[in-house]
Every structure is written in C-alpha cells, then in structure tokens.
Amino acid sequence: MALSPDNKPEPLKVLRIFRSRDAQDFGEADHMSYVDDDPVILNGLEKMGEAGVADGYSGKCLFSGFGFSLHQFWFRPGYPLPLHSHDTDCLYYIIAGDIRMGTEEMGPGDGFFLPAETPYTYTIGEKGVELLEFRTEEDFNIQFKGKTEAYWEKMLDKLRTERPKWKEALPPSLDVRNA
C-alpha cells in the first residue's frame, strides 16, 4: 500500500484489497484526534489513563482511503466507555459479544448508525464485544461529554472493578468458554 508523505494511504483510485494481518494498530494509524479542553474532562481522562483504561481495548485500522475508514475494536468485559461523540457519521456492526445501548440489547449481527456529533455510550457485556466501525471519513475526532468530577469518579470506580477481569479475557469470537 502506497503511503503519502504524511504516512496516510493514498486516495483510492483502483480496486484495493486489505487484509487483517496487515492492519495498523488503531493508535498508530492516527486517524482520531482528541478535541477536549475542559479541565474536568482532561483530569478525568488522565486519571483513567493512570488507572489502566488502555488495557481494556484494542483496535486496528483495517482500511482507510477515498474518504472512508474501517476500524475493528475489541472492548474487554465491562469496559467503561465514557459518553462521547465524533464529528463523522459511523455505522457500527457487532461481530461477537454483546452491548446494551439504553434499553436495547445487541449481539452478533446487530448494529447501529450514529450521525456525526451524536453523543453516545454503551455498556459492554460480560463477554466483551468485538465490533466494526465504518466511517464516512478517514480522519475524525472524539469529544468526551462527562462535565463533572462525579461523572469521572464513577467511570474510575467501574474501571477499578472491571480491570482485574481483563487479564483472563479473550475476544468473544475466540473464547470457547462462551460457547
């Protein structure tokens, strides 16, 4: 795959095949920018980082080009996903595991569409969740919505409770214990 000087894939001009084994780590792909400047949010995110929130997920950029991107994520069981939004439309598809969004329970084969700037969160189930994110842009932002210290303390409490379980967790699509 040819890369431009800014290390991004060149625009799609012909058929382009992508393979999971060649996928770039989500963080290294550098498609998502953080736009928060509220001191309460920044402090909450810093505390979450120090408490090991990054141990609760992994992601990869499967495809990026011609104004589209496709990312695959695995969130470990009980991962505390803070309320947030993105500046692009996104279609989510659940591969394995389950989530609860509001009153809706969703599992493999289910999904949801979110227009740009729509705040959302979901509760990751006991098996964790693997999902695909289809975006209408290659690059996008994330903006967190938790505006109070109490909100971030609640997120930290959930993180501290759930994180010990992550060491033994396997992606639900590979975990024969879930069968």
mmCIF file of all heavy atoms in Angstrom, residues 27-45:
data_model
loop_
_atom_site.group_PDB
_atom_site.id
_atom_site.type_symbol
_atom_site.label_atom_id
_atom_site.label_comp_id
_atom_site.label_asym_id
_atom_site.label_seq_id
_atom_site.Cartn_x
_atom_site.Cartn_y
_atom_site.Cartn_z
ATOM 1 N N GLY A 27 -4.115 3.168 17.281
ATOM 2 C CA GLY A 27 -3.394 4.339 17.775
ATOM 3 C C GLY A 27 -2.309 4.799 16.824
ATOM 4 O O GLY A 27 -2.116 6.001 16.617
ATOM 5 N N GLU A 28 -1.607 3.863 16.218
ATOM 6 C CA GLU A 28 -0.538 4.203 15.281
ATOM 7 C C GLU A 28 -1.085 4.768 13.979
ATOM 8 O O GLU A 28 -0.417 5.545 13.305
ATOM 9 C CB GLU A 28 0.329 2.976 15.005
ATOM 10 C CG GLU A 28 1.125 2.531 16.214
ATOM 11 C CD GLU A 28 1.848 1.209 15.979
ATOM 12 O OE1 GLU A 28 1.895 0.724 14.829
ATOM 13 O OE2 GLU A 28 2.348 0.658 16.977
ATOM 14 N N ALA A 29 -2.292 4.364 13.607
ATOM 15 C CA ALA A 29 -2.903 4.853 12.365
ATOM 16 C C ALA A 29 -3.185 6.352 12.448
ATOM 17 O O ALA A 29 -3.258 7.032 11.427
ATOM 18 C CB ALA A 29 -4.182 4.085 12.060
ATOM 19 N N ASP A 30 -3.373 6.856 13.660
ATOM 20 C CA ASP A 30 -3.511 8.290 13.903
ATOM 21 C C ASP A 30 -4.668 8.932 13.127
ATOM 22 O O ASP A 30 -4.534 10.010 12.569
ATOM 23 C CB ASP A 30 -2.190 8.999 13.584
ATOM 24 C CG ASP A 30 -2.107 10.374 14.225
ATOM 25 O OD1 ASP A 30 -2.706 10.571 15.302
ATOM 26 O OD2 ASP A 30 -1.442 11.264 13.648
ATOM 27 N N HIS A 31 -5.816 8.251 13.109
ATOM 28 C CA HIS A 31 -6.988 8.801 12.423
ATOM 29 C C HIS A 31 -7.898 9.591 13.363
ATOM 30 O O HIS A 31 -8.729 10.369 12.906
ATOM 31 C CB HIS A 31 -7.814 7.686 11.766
ATOM 32 C CG HIS A 31 -7.128 7.083 10.590
ATOM 33 N ND1 HIS A 31 -6.928 7.753 9.409
ATOM 34 C CD2 HIS A 31 -6.565 5.861 10.419
ATOM 35 C CE1 HIS A 31 -6.291 6.990 8.567
ATOM 36 N NE2 HIS A 31 -6.053 5.830 9.152
ATOM 37 N N MET A 32 -7.772 9.368 14.676
ATOM 38 C CA MET A 32 -8.673 10.027 15.626
ATOM 39 C C MET A 32 -7.914 11.081 16.425
ATOM 40 O O MET A 32 -6.861 10.809 16.986
ATOM 41 C CB MET A 32 -9.290 8.999 16.585
ATOM 42 C CG MET A 32 -10.345 9.611 17.491
ATOM 43 S SD MET A 32 -11.300 8.376 18.401
ATOM 44 C CE MET A 32 -10.074 7.788 19.565
ATOM 45 N N SER A 33 -8.497 12.284 16.479
ATOM 46 C CA SER A 33 -7.898 13.366 17.265
ATOM 47 C C SER A 33 -8.801 13.696 18.448
ATOM 48 O O SER A 33 -10.016 13.552 18.380
ATOM 49 C CB SER A 33 -7.694 14.605 16.395
ATOM 50 O OG SER A 33 -8.939 15.058 15.889
ATOM 51 N N TYR A 34 -8.170 14.103 19.532
ATOM 52 C CA TYR A 34 -8.890 14.475 20.753
ATOM 53 C C TYR A 34 -9.062 15.985 20.752
ATOM 54 O O TYR A 34 -8.102 16.715 20.523
ATOM 55 C CB TYR A 34 -8.120 14.018 21.988
ATOM 56 C CG TYR A 34 -8.026 12.520 22.072
ATOM 57 C CD1 TYR A 34 -7.049 11.818 21.366
ATOM 58 C CD2 TYR A 34 -8.939 11.799 22.822
ATOM 59 C CE1 TYR A 34 -6.984 10.440 21.423
ATOM 60 C CE2 TYR A 34 -8.878 10.413 22.882
ATOM 61 C CZ TYR A 34 -7.894 9.745 22.180
ATOM 62 O OH TYR A 34 -7.839 8.377 22.234
ATOM 63 N N VAL A 35 -10.282 16.454 21.022
ATOM 64 C CA VAL A 35 -10.546 17.888 20.950
ATOM 65 C C VAL A 35 -10.972 18.491 22.282
ATOM 66 O O VAL A 35 -11.357 19.651 22.335
ATOM 67 C CB VAL A 35 -11.610 18.216 19.868
ATOM 68 C CG1 VAL A 35 -11.089 17.858 18.494
ATOM 69 C CG2 VAL A 35 -12.919 17.511 20.144
ATOM 70 N N ASP A 36 -10.879 17.722 23.351
ATOM 71 C CA ASP A 36 -11.333 18.223 24.643
ATOM 72 C C ASP A 36 -10.335 19.219 25.228
ATOM 73 O O ASP A 36 -9.126 19.031 25.154
ATOM 74 C CB ASP A 36 -11.523 17.059 25.627
ATOM 75 C CG ASP A 36 -12.641 16.138 25.177
ATOM 76 O OD1 ASP A 36 -13.780 16.622 25.083
ATOM 77 O OD2 ASP A 36 -12.363 14.970 24.885
ATOM 78 N N ASP A 37 -10.891 20.287 25.824
ATOM 79 C CA ASP A 37 -10.042 21.249 26.526
ATOM 80 C C ASP A 37 -10.593 21.594 27.906
ATOM 81 O O ASP A 37 -9.992 22.367 28.633
ATOM 82 C CB ASP A 37 -9.827 22.511 25.690
ATOM 83 C CG ASP A 37 -11.134 23.231 25.360
ATOM 84 O OD1 ASP A 37 -12.213 22.777 25.794
ATOM 85 O OD2 ASP A 37 -11.072 24.250 24.664
ATOM 86 N N ASP A 38 -11.711 20.990 28.273
ATOM 87 C CA ASP A 38 -12.300 21.219 29.583
ATOM 88 C C ASP A 38 -11.404 20.574 30.643
ATOM 89 O O ASP A 38 -11.103 19.381 30.561
ATOM 90 C CB ASP A 38 -13.703 20.594 29.618
ATOM 91 C CG ASP A 38 -14.418 20.825 30.931
ATOM 92 O OD1 ASP A 38 -13.876 20.438 31.983
ATOM 93 O OD2 ASP A 38 -15.529 21.381 30.897
ATOM 94 N N PRO A 39 -10.964 21.345 31.660
ATOM 95 C CA PRO A 39 -10.056 20.789 32.679
ATOM 96 C C PRO A 39 -10.630 19.581 33.419
ATOM 97 O O PRO A 39 -9.890 18.661 33.770
ATOM 98 C CB PRO A 39 -9.826 21.948 33.645
ATOM 99 C CG PRO A 39 -10.240 23.172 32.924
ATOM 100 C CD PRO A 39 -11.225 22.762 31.874
ATOM 101 N N VAL A 40 -11.940 19.537 33.644
ATOM 102 C CA VAL A 40 -12.551 18.399 34.328
ATOM 103 C C VAL A 40 -12.425 17.142 33.468
ATOM 104 O O VAL A 40 -12.068 16.064 33.956
ATOM 105 C CB VAL A 40 -14.032 18.687 34.684
ATOM 106 C CG1 VAL A 40 -14.733 17.437 35.193
ATOM 107 C CG2 VAL A 40 -14.125 19.814 35.693
ATOM 108 N N ILE A 41 -12.693 17.284 32.171
ATOM 109 C CA ILE A 41 -12.575 16.144 31.254
ATOM 110 C C ILE A 41 -11.116 15.700 31.145
ATOM 111 O O ILE A 41 -10.815 14.505 31.241
ATOM 112 C CB ILE A 41 -13.149 16.491 29.871
ATOM 113 C CG1 ILE A 41 -14.668 16.668 29.966
ATOM 114 C CG2 ILE A 41 -12.781 15.420 28.840
ATOM 115 C CD1 ILE A 41 -15.328 17.170 28.706
ATOM 116 N N LEU A 42 -10.229 16.636 30.957
ATOM 117 C CA LEU A 42 -8.808 16.287 30.834
ATOM 118 C C LEU A 42 -8.291 15.589 32.084
ATOM 119 O O LEU A 42 -7.550 14.609 31.994
ATOM 120 C CB LEU A 42 -7.979 17.532 30.525
ATOM 121 C CG LEU A 42 -8.252 18.183 29.167
ATOM 122 C CD1 LEU A 42 -7.483 19.485 29.032
ATOM 123 C CD2 LEU A 42 -7.910 17.226 28.040
ATOM 124 N N ASN A 43 -8.693 16.067 33.246
ATOM 125 C CA ASN A 43 -8.297 15.443 34.500
ATOM 126 C C ASN A 43 -8.885 14.027 34.606
ATOM 127 O O ASN A 43 -8.194 13.090 35.019
ATOM 128 C CB ASN A 43 -8.729 16.307 35.690
ATOM 129 C CG ASN A 43 -8.205 15.785 36.996
ATOM 130 O OD1 ASN A 43 -7.019 15.469 37.123
ATOM 131 N ND2 ASN A 43 -9.074 15.699 37.989
ATOM 132 N N GLY A 44 -10.159 13.875 34.231
ATOM 133 C CA GLY A 44 -10.797 12.563 34.260
ATOM 134 C C GLY A 44 -10.109 11.583 33.328
ATOM 135 O O GLY A 44 -9.857 10.431 33.690
ATOM 136 N N LEU A 45 -9.787 12.040 32.121
ATOM 137 C CA LEU A 45 -9.102 11.179 31.159
ATOM 138 C C LEU A 45 -7.707 10.797 31.651
ATOM 139 O O LEU A 45 -7.270 9.642 31.489
ATOM 140 C CB LEU A 45 -9.008 11.872 29.799
ATOM 141 C CG LEU A 45 -10.315 12.049 29.045
ATOM 142 C CD1 LEU A 45 -10.116 12.931 27.818
ATOM 143 C CD2 LEU A 45 -10.910 10.707 28.660
#
